Amino acid sequence: MLDIWMGSSPCTSEEINKGLARLKSAGVKFRLSSQTKKMACAKESKELPFLAGTDAYKFKTLTKFFSQSRVRNIMAIRGGYGGLRLLSLLDQWQPKSIKTMRDKQLWGFSD
């Protein structure tokens, strides 16, 4: 199972659906986070034209993935500057359980 997360720049619903269709045609099972569904409209609404939410919000959703035992693979829809901005927040994070962190993979890319 692949959990989809939006950590950098936003996408339109159309762009997300196009990518998900490719995953589905390849036989990949996936889940969209509520954050991804919510932020899919950000580009369309022009609220946050180059970021998929505030750094704090994106970091909170990412750490939520890492805290859930059912999550094994996390794929960022887009990479880039928005993701880089989250690195400074890692020092502040105190995971509740190191056990839930085991065997997790974060997949992403950038240009």
Side-chain angles (χ1 to χ4, degrees):
M1 180 66 70
L2 186 62
D3 285 278
I4 309 293
W5 173 70
M6 191 178 298
S8 291
S9 57
C11 305
T12 63
S13 297
E14 182 180 326
E15 291 168 325
I16 291 173
N17 290 335
K18 189 175 182 180
L20 295 179
R22 288 186 125 180
L23 290 173
K24 192 173 187 176
S25 71
V28 176
K29 294 182 180 181
F30 57 84
R31 290 183 287 240
L32 285 177
S33 71
S34 57
Q35 175 257 0
T36 300
K37 291 175 188 173
K38 178 180 175 184
M39 294 315 298
C41 300
K43 187 173 181 181
E44 296 158 354
S45 69
K46 307 284 191 254
E47 288 176 29
L48 298 166
F50 66 96
L51 296 174
T54 65
D55 294 345
Y57 181 70
K58 292 184 298 179
F59 191 74
K60 180 181 175 183
T61 60
L62 179 60
T63 57
K64 184 177 178 181
F65 274 128
F66 277 104
S67 300
Q68 294 174 352
S69 59
R70 70 179 175 93
V71 173
R72 293 282 182 250
N73 299 288
I74 306 160
M75 185 176 104
I77 288 180
R78 287 195 171 165
Y81 176 66
L84 181 65
R85 293 166 52 108
L86 303 182
L87 291 178
S88 64
L89 300 174
L90 284 174
D91 289 337
Q92 301 169 21
W93 186 40
Q94 301 281 324
K96 292 180 183 173
S97 171
I98 258 334
K99 190 183 241 186
T100 61
M101 298 284 295
R102 292 185 187 146
D103 302 321
K104 306 259 188 216
Q105 294 183 11
L106 175 61
W107 303 7
F109 62 93
S110 187
D111 54 355

